[in-house]
Each structure stands twice: as C-alpha cells, then as structure tokens.
Amino acid sequence: MKKLGLNTICTHVGEVKDEQFKGAVSPIYLSSSYEFLDVDIKRYPRYFNTPNQEYLAKKIAALEHTEAAMIFGSGMAAISHMFLAFLNKGDHLVVQNTLYGGTVNFIKEEFPKYGLEFTFTNGYKVEDFESAIQENTKLIHIETPSNPLLTITDIRAVAKMAKSKKILTSIDNTFASPVNQNPIDLGIDMVMHSATKYFGGHSDICAGAVASSAVHIEKIWNVSKNLGGSLSDMTVWMLERSMKTLGLRVKAQTKNALKLAKWLHKHPKIAKVYYPGLKSHPEHKLAKSQMKGFGAMLSFELVEGLDAYAFQKALELIKSSMSLAGVESTVISPHLTSHALLTPEERQAVGISDQLIRFSVGIEDFKDLKKDIDLAIAALG
Ligand SMILES: *Cc1c(COP(=O)(O)O)cnc(C)c1O
C-alpha cells in the first residue's frame, strides 16, 4: 500500500473491523480470556495482545514509521520497561540532564537496586553525550524538545555518534508527538511516549507507548509480560478514538503556539520566551532541520516585579494544571511544581527562574488566549 498521510493513519490504521455488525468504529473486546486451543496467538491482556491492544499498536507504529509498537498503562511503564529490556546488571545508560522528572526519579531510585549504572550528561550537545559514554554503555536516552526550557538536542548527530559505537538510542517524543517529529527517520532506534499527553489529548487518559523494530519490541515484550502494566481495553478504545484527531489537534495547537510565542516575544511585560519556532531560540535552525512543526509547548518569563503565581491565579480561561497537552491551554510555574524540591541556587543553575511560566497551548481561538493573558497581567497592577 502507498504510504498514507498523517490524518489518514490517525483515522484508519489499526481499526478493529466489526465483522459481525459492520459498525463504523472498532468494537471493544473486553475478554480477559481467549480460546487456547488451536490458535496461533495466545491472547491475554497482560500479554499486550488483546484485539484492541494489538490494533492500536499498529496505528502508533504507522505514525512513528516503525514495524511495531506496544501500548502501556502509563508513560512511565513504557519508559521503565524499555530501559529494563535493554539494560542488564552492570550495564550503563547515558541520559540527557534535562529530562522528565518521573524518568529522573525512576533512574535514581530504581537503577541502583538492579545494579544498573547511569550518567546524566552535563548538557544537551552531542559532545556531552559522547563524553559520558563508558565501556559498558548500552543505551543513550534523549528528550527533545525538553521540559520546561524547550532545548533542542541534535537527534541525527546523537544517533550517528551512538551507531558508530554500537550503542542503542531511545527518545522521549512526548513533547513533539509524531505530528511534529519522527525520530526513527533521523536514526533513533526506539521512540517512547507518554500517551497521557498529546495521544490522549483531552486530559482524561493515562497511557504510554514504545515504537521500534519488531525485534526490539519483542525484547521489550519479553520483559513486559513479566512486569505487567498493560492498558485496559476500555482505555485502549478511548485512546484509539482520541488518536483519530491527533493530527488535527496537534497542528492547531502548534499553529497557536507559534502565534503566541511571536506575540509574547514582543510583549512589554514578558522578559523572555522559550520556543524553538522563534528565530531568537539558540537552536532554531536545528529545530527546523529535524521537526515538521515546533510543537505546542512553550515557556516564558514575566518581567521582574510581576509574580508568576499571582499571574497564574489571575488567568480565567487558561487553567493551572500539572499535566499538559490537552486541547485546553494550561500553565504551571516550574519553580513551584516540577522543580520545587531544588534550592533557589540549584534552580538558577538549570535556568528555572521564579518568573518562569510553562505554557501548554490548546486549540482555543488565539484572540481569546491573548486577551486572557493581557487581562491577567493587567490584574497584577
Ligand atoms: C508525562 C510525561 C511522562 C510520563 O508519562 P505518564 O503517562 O505520566 O507516566 C514522560 N515523559 C514526558 C516528557 C512527559 O511529559
């Protein structure tokens, strides 16, 4: 079959056909028990192969340009299973220093128990990854764009460098989504997602996914069937429904984000905007060379004297929320949430100021978002 377009994949690939009633959408197979006699596949929910699980994985694989994929009960299940599948006792992982907080905790708290070694890079340039490599390094894990400062890692360069040393690579592609970035085409071996974010897109699903070659996915499956952590078929079905509009949603959100970033960049009460789509972003050219769109996450700093928390509270339309990527716009103050446990000095060292607001841009009309921000700023006096 000729390569399908993004929205066609979102709408059609991985449908479970309703052979019995010819319904328009996938039926939900809730069975936790399937016939065991004379069948090729031993189906069982924890084997990640019920009809709904198996077929939705095809949609994710098609979106990430891979042979295979697996769906998990959360993004953390996806990432932890992937790491545990490719790292054995005594192996070493190189990870980007600017990483999702849950992934950092998983590595720091669980790796020592399994005798797994790790190094966080000093930066996000290819040299930073290369200099962290040891003789026992088996995997390099990157995250780009990163949270919350939207730094961009050179995907091609890291993948090429790793390949030359026969080291596997993985990426957390949650922020960009396959709508804006296809890391497999740039040489990365494995792509993972928190499907809680853009895949779900409506702030009502917790799920995760990994996409890669059939061989790598089988290796992960061998670990996952022991660990558990599959997604319930009810939620798989909801996720399939959500993903039909992934392309439409993320494109609309990305468009809004670029407009907002440009507007905020010129705003007298905004000191700084972090968005890879702006020419002022230090890795704008790199972002352009590896992303199809710049994503819908951005951060900005209010000018000194304007309190970030008071600003957040003064917003009416834009909600304060820990999570991100829903169709509704949300904000958080990283210094009060994801980075609250660091000292002010530590925060300063990683570039998180008390003036920083992280913005997950939704699908609302641009003029209404602008107005909400302006009214909140005005309310601060
Ligand atoms: C939310 C998130 C995760 C973790 O996903 P869960 O579904 O919450 O387990 C991992 N990486 C990134 C970038 C995220 O935003």
Side-chain angles (χ1 to χ4, degrees), residues 74-77 79 100 103 143 147 172 174-175 192-197 206-208 323-324:
S74 69
M76 282 315 301
I79 202 158
Y100 175 71
T103 312
E143 195 171 308
N147 180 25
D172 187 329
T174 302
F175 265 36
M192 64 74 47
H193 281 276
S194 168
T196 314
K197 312 298 164 52
C206 182
S323 199
L324 57 103

Coordinates of all heavy atoms in Angstrom, one line a residue, residues 74-77 79 100 103 143 147 172 174-175 192-197 206-208 323-324, ligand 1:
S74 N 0.9 3.5 31.3 CA 1.3 4.9 31.5 C 2.6 5.1 30.8 O 3.3 4.2 30.3 CB 1.6 5.1 33.0 OG 2.8 4.4 33.5
G75 N 3.0 6.4 30.7 CA 4.3 6.7 30.0 C 5.5 6.2 30.8 O 6.4 5.7 30.2
M76 N 5.3 6.2 32.2 CA 6.4 5.6 33.0 C 6.6 4.1 32.8 O 7.7 3.6 32.9 CB 6.2 6.0 34.5 CG 6.6 7.5 34.8 SD 8.2 8.0 34.1 CE 9.3 6.9 34.8
A77 N 5.4 3.4 32.6 CA 5.5 2.0 32.4 C 6.3 1.8 31.1 O 7.2 0.9 31.0 CB 4.1 1.4 32.3
I79 N 8.5 3.7 29.6 CA 10.0 4.0 29.7 C 10.7 3.1 30.6 O 11.8 2.6 30.3 CB 10.2 5.5 30.1 CG1 11.6 6.0 29.7 CG2 10.0 5.7 31.6 CD1 11.7 7.5 29.6
Y100 N 12.3 14.6 31.8 CA 11.1 14.5 32.6 C 11.4 14.0 34.0 O 12.1 13.0 34.2 CB 10.1 13.6 31.8 CG 8.8 13.3 32.6 CD1 7.9 14.4 32.7 CD2 8.6 12.1 33.2 CE1 6.7 14.2 33.5 CE2 7.4 11.9 34.0 CZ 6.5 13.0 34.1 OH 5.4 12.8 34.8
T103 N 11.1 10.3 35.0 CA 12.2 9.5 34.4 C 13.4 9.6 35.3 O 14.1 8.6 35.6 CB 12.5 9.9 33.0 OG1 11.2 10.0 32.3 CG2 13.4 8.9 32.3
E143 N 15.8 13.6 25.2 CA 14.4 14.1 25.2 C 14.5 15.5 24.5 O 15.2 16.4 25.0 CB 14.0 14.3 26.7 CG 12.5 14.5 26.9 CD 12.1 14.5 28.3 OE1 12.4 13.5 29.0 OE2 11.5 15.4 28.8
N147 N 11.8 19.7 28.7 CA 10.9 20.4 29.6 C 11.7 21.1 30.7 O 12.5 20.4 31.3 CB 10.0 19.3 30.2 CG 9.0 19.8 31.2 OD1 8.6 21.0 31.2 ND2 8.5 19.0 32.1
D172 N 12.4 10.2 24.2 CA 11.1 10.6 24.7 C 10.5 11.6 23.7 O 10.9 12.8 23.7 CB 11.2 11.1 26.1 CG 9.8 11.3 26.8 OD1 8.8 11.6 26.0 OD2 9.7 11.2 28.0
T174 N 7.4 12.7 23.5 CA 6.1 13.1 24.0 C 5.8 14.6 23.6 O 4.7 14.9 23.2 CB 6.0 13.0 25.6 OG1 6.3 11.7 25.9 CG2 4.7 13.5 26.1
F175 N 6.8 15.5 23.8 CA 6.5 16.9 23.6 C 6.2 17.2 22.1 O 5.4 18.0 21.8 CB 7.7 17.8 24.1 CG 7.5 18.3 25.5 CD1 6.9 17.5 26.4 CD2 8.0 19.6 25.8 CE1 6.7 18.0 27.7 CE2 7.8 20.0 27.1 CZ 7.2 19.3 28.1
M192 N 9.6 6.5 22.6 CA 8.6 6.3 23.6 C 7.7 7.6 23.8 O 8.1 8.7 23.5 CB 9.1 5.8 24.9 CG 10.0 6.7 25.8 SD 9.3 8.1 26.7 CE 7.9 7.4 27.5
H193 N 6.5 7.3 24.3 CA 5.5 8.4 24.5 C 4.8 8.3 25.8 O 4.5 7.2 26.2 CB 4.4 8.4 23.4 CG 4.9 9.0 22.1 ND1 4.8 10.3 21.9 CD2 5.4 8.4 21.0 CE1 5.3 10.5 20.7 NE2 5.6 9.4 20.1
S194 N 4.6 9.4 26.5 CA 3.5 9.4 27.4 C 2.2 9.7 26.6 O 2.0 10.8 26.2 CB 3.7 10.5 28.5 OG 2.5 10.7 29.2
A195 N 1.4 8.7 26.4 CA 0.2 8.8 25.7 C -0.9 9.6 26.5 O -1.9 9.9 26.0 CB -0.4 7.5 25.2
T196 N -0.5 9.8 27.7 CA -1.3 10.7 28.6 C -1.4 12.1 28.0 O -2.4 12.8 28.3 CB -0.7 10.8 30.0 OG1 -0.3 9.4 30.4 CG2 -1.6 11.4 31.0
K197 N -0.4 12.5 27.2 CA -0.3 13.8 26.7 C -1.0 14.0 25.4 O -2.2 13.8 25.3 CB 1.2 14.2 26.7 CG 1.9 13.9 28.0 CD 1.3 14.6 29.2 CE 1.8 14.0 30.6 NZ 3.2 13.8 30.7
C206 N -4.6 8.0 31.0 CA -3.3 7.7 31.3 C -2.8 6.5 30.6 O -3.3 5.4 30.7 CB -3.1 7.5 32.9 SG -1.4 7.3 33.4
A207 N -1.7 6.7 29.7 CA -1.2 5.6 28.9 C 0.2 5.9 28.4 O 0.6 7.0 28.6 CB -2.2 5.4 27.7
G208 N 0.8 4.9 27.9 CA 2.2 5.1 27.3 C 2.4 4.2 26.1 O 1.5 3.3 25.8
S323 N -0.4 18.7 34.4 CA -0.1 18.0 33.2 C -0.2 18.9 32.0 O -0.2 20.1 32.1 CB -1.1 16.8 33.1 OG -0.6 15.8 32.2
L324 N -0.2 18.3 30.8 CA -0.1 19.1 29.6 C -0.7 18.4 28.4 O -1.1 17.3 28.5 CB 1.4 19.4 29.4 CG 2.3 18.2 29.2 CD1 2.7 17.9 27.8 CD2 3.6 18.4 30.0
Ligands
LIG1 C1 4.1 13.0 31.4 C2 5.4 12.6 30.8 C3 6.0 11.3 31.0 C4 5.4 10.3 32.0 O1 4.1 9.9 31.5 P1 3.0 9.3 32.4 O2 1.9 8.9 31.4 O3 2.6 10.4 33.4 O4 3.5 8.1 33.1 C5 7.2 11.0 30.4 N1 7.8 12.0 29.6 C6 7.3 13.2 29.4 C7 8.0 14.1 28.5 C8 6.1 13.6 30.0 O5 5.6 14.8 29.8

